[in-house]
Amino acid sequence: MNNFYYSIPTKILFGKGQIENLGQTVKQYGKRVLLIYGGGSIKKIGLYNKVMQQLADNGVEVVELSGVEPNPRITTVNKGAQVCKEEGVDVVLAVGGGSTLDCAKVVAAAANYEGDAWDLVKDASKVKKVLPIITVLTLAATGSEMDAYAVISNMETNEKLGTGHEEMKPKVSILDPEYTYSVSKYQTAAGTADIMSHVFEEYFERSEGAFLQNRMAEAILKTCIKYGKIAVESPEDYEARANLMWASSLALNGLMHYGKAGSWSVHPMEHELSAFYDITHGVGLAILTPHWMKYVLDETSVDKFVEYGVNVWDIDKNQDKYVIAKQAIQKTREYFLSLEIPMSLREVGIEEEKLEVMARQATRFGDIKGYKTLSAEAVLEIFKAAY
Ligand code: NZQ
Ligand code: ZN
């Protein structure tokens, strides 16, 4: 196990009714808040009114930024930063899914930056002072509620880039699983695939000795496999929504990464798909994952796939290693199919002639140095297999 520095500073208020603590929580960080939300789902589920009531009851003044897009745009971030500067905002409150939270994080950073917020996305070292961020999560997927990252799109340049800073970790996140009851089947399935992918990115790596982290990773995968299906079929199953919500946070708050040295593979490939085609992030990951797994399966990785197949999918371990590995990959694909995720790039509207340019973009900073190094040709091969 490698050395590591543990820092997970986000306070979590988890469970039914925790919204009742929102007003007093925000008040601790300032008296003027920028409330950021998406296209209106928080109004449909009655959460907007509760938030406003909480803020009013605690004497907090509110300005708003609404309409954050799925795959949030840099134009919206810049608008939010402008509002912060003009209105003297003390604290940023994001209510919604990962896109809203990510937008809020860069707004909070850009509020103290003179210039285009895109600079902070392209170069995280330019992030200095960040307004305090509080979140109320409504979709279990990205882990943004407890991590330092934000992923922002620039549709003019077809770029979707991640940035991150320790100060961009939310101070407090309210996680009430009941607010995810209204998430559509499609987004629930995509969110489940996203959580699983975050775990895969850490699980499939080469460091030795992180036994504990690997067992925790398998527990999160099993949780997603069990409860993703239940949540898709019974959206108001509290146990399912609660387990998925906590899995979302644990998958990406650092716990899976501590003691390991790996970097990610499938996310950098997927980000090109959503940069060019604005597709749902988790769907892109689900489509690519089994093909990436097939591509990286070789003599150096087969034991890891056996570990995955036996521990996560309960595959009989008394078989040939490659038989187990291939079954594990097949089960992964079948699981995503069972959630009714479209399982080819063609089905989500991607054009074959764009595969090459996306593969080149995915490697524009150099080969993807993940579980197995991926050149532009390798990425293209995976894209073609997934087509
Ligand atoms: O905009 P509204 O009206 O809120 O609707 C959203 C949106 O249409 C809807 N939704 C959210 N909560 C709902 C709901 N609908 C009904 N009931 C609710 N309770 O769902 C749609 C998708 O929302 P979005 O926030 O885009 O989804 P998600 O949470 O999956 O976020 C995806 C974004 O996060 C990035 C992705 O790349 C993508 O841009 N990621 C962020 C990461 C991070 N910060 O660490 C890591 C991830 O790997 C990922 O890259
Ligand atoms: Zn993701």
Side-chain angles (χ1 to χ4, degrees):
M1 195 188 298
N2 296 354
N3 291 1
F4 60 85
Y5 163 66
Y6 175 105
S7 170
I8 309 181
T10 305
K11 288 183 192 148
I12 296 294
L13 302 178
F14 190 97
K16 293 179 192 180
Q18 290 287 9
I19 199 73
E20 300 304 327
N21 297 307
L22 178 68
Q24 59 192 30
T25 300
V26 173
K27 206 165 79 177
Q28 288 169 25
Y29 293 93
K31 62 175 187 355
R32 206 157 163 73
V33 66
L34 174 63
L35 167 64
I36 302 188
Y37 56 98
S41 69
I42 70 161
K43 291 192 170 164
K44 284 196 200 121
I45 62 178
L47 179 54
Y48 175 83
N49 286 344
K50 283 204 175 125
V51 168
M52 293 305 271
Q53 191 63 52
Q54 273 289 312
L55 297 174
D57 289 351
N58 286 274
V60 178
E61 299 157 7
V62 188
V63 283
E64 293 188 24
L65 174 75
S66 62
V68 176
E69 312 83 357
N71 298 329
R73 313 294 199 255
I74 192 61
T75 43
T76 310
V77 173
N78 273 319
K79 218 193 284 174
Q82 190 62 27
V83 174
C84 288
K85 289 173 190 166
E86 286 169 5
E87 300 280 346
V89 164
D90 307 312
V91 44
V92 174
L93 170 62
V95 184
S99 294
T100 294
L101 272 55
D102 284 6
C103 176
K105 286 175 171 179
V106 186
V107 165
N112 291 306
Y113 180 76
E114 291 309 321
D116 190 334
W118 190 240
D119 299 344
L120 308 179
V121 179
K122 284 203 295 195
D123 182 0
S125 72
K126 291 195 169 145
V127 176
K128 302 287 180 219
K129 210 164 150 238
V130 183
L131 292 178
I133 300 157
I134 295 171
T135 85
V136 180
L137 184 68
T138 64
L139 199 168
T142 63
S144 189
E145 65 277 13
M146 224 175 163
D147 76 16
Y149 307 110
V151 186
I152 304 296
S153 294
N154 184 334
M155 300 319 270
E156 276 175 28
T157 58
N158 283 131
E159 283 179 291
K160 180 174 180 182
L161 298 175
T163 186
H165 189 277
E166 188 66 17
E167 290 298 315
M168 280 162 58
K169 288 181 178 169
K171 301 286 181 218
V172 183
S173 284
I174 292 183
L175 310 184
D176 181 342
E178 289 185 311
Y179 292 128
T180 65
Y181 285 173
S182 53
V183 176
S184 66
K185 282 181 192 295
Y186 189 74
Q187 289 291 343
T188 300
T192 303
D194 191 20
I195 302 169
M196 290 175 70
S197 179
H198 297 154
V199 178
F200 289 144
E201 301 275 23
E202 301 291 353
Y203 184 74
F204 288 99
E205 65 90 57
R206 311 272 176 187
S207 309
E208 296 285 322
F211 180 90
L212 174 62
Q213 288 87 328
N214 288 332
R215 302 295 83 73
M216 290 195 294
E218 287 158 1
I220 296 175
L221 290 170
K222 290 186 101 143
T223 300
C224 291
I225 291 162
K226 172 171 173 158
Y227 288 111
K229 194 108 176 70
I230 297 174
V232 163
E233 280 159 13
S234 314
E236 302 202 359
D237 186 308
Y238 184 82
E239 187 176 314
R241 294 296 194 181
N243 276 280
L244 287 175
M245 204 167 208
W246 193 219
S248 152
S249 306
L250 293 182
L252 207 50
N253 69 358
L255 273 183
M256 294 302 110
H257 184 72
Y258 290 137
K260 296 186 164 198
S263 61
W264 290 18
S265 305
V266 182
H267 273 69
M269 290 192 281
E270 192 292 318
H271 282 168
E272 297 312 322
L273 307 181
S274 31
F276 278 80
Y277 286 95
D278 201 15
I279 66 166
T280 299
H281 171 62
V283 169
L285 294 170
I287 295 171
L288 295 179
T289 293
H291 298 286
W292 168 78
M293 286 178 164
K294 275 184 206 156
Y295 187 85
V296 301
L297 174 60
D298 62 20
E299 197 44 51
T300 68
S301 62
V302 66
D303 290 340
K304 188 74 203 179
F305 278 96
V306 170
E307 196 179 323
Y308 168 58
V310 171
N311 293 345
V312 175
W313 292 107
D314 301 320
I315 295 171
D316 178 5
K317 62 175 189 262
N318 300 312
Q319 302 181 79
D320 174 74
K321 287 198 289 192
Y322 281 92
V323 171
I324 299 173
K326 285 178 186 163
Q327 273 181 24
I329 297 171
Q330 184 59 19
K331 281 188 179 286
T332 309
R333 182 182 147 77
E334 281 166 8
Y335 178 68
F336 292 143
L337 263 176
S338 79
L339 298 181
E340 296 181 29
I341 297 177
M343 284 303 283
S344 70
L345 297 181
R346 186 191 307 264
E347 281 171 82
V348 293
I350 288 173
E351 295 146 300
E352 200 167 5
E353 56 270 25
K354 272 278 164 57
L355 298 183
E356 201 170 330
V357 60
M358 292 191 297
R360 258 188 279 118
Q361 274 289 101
T363 51
R364 67 193 177 284
F365 304 121
D367 291 352
I368 298 174
K369 297 235 177 334
Y371 191 48
K372 179 172 183 171
T373 299
L374 303 174
S375 61
E377 292 70 37
V379 174
L380 183 59
E381 200 176 319
I382 294 169
F383 283 170
K384 281 185 174 163
Y387 198 75

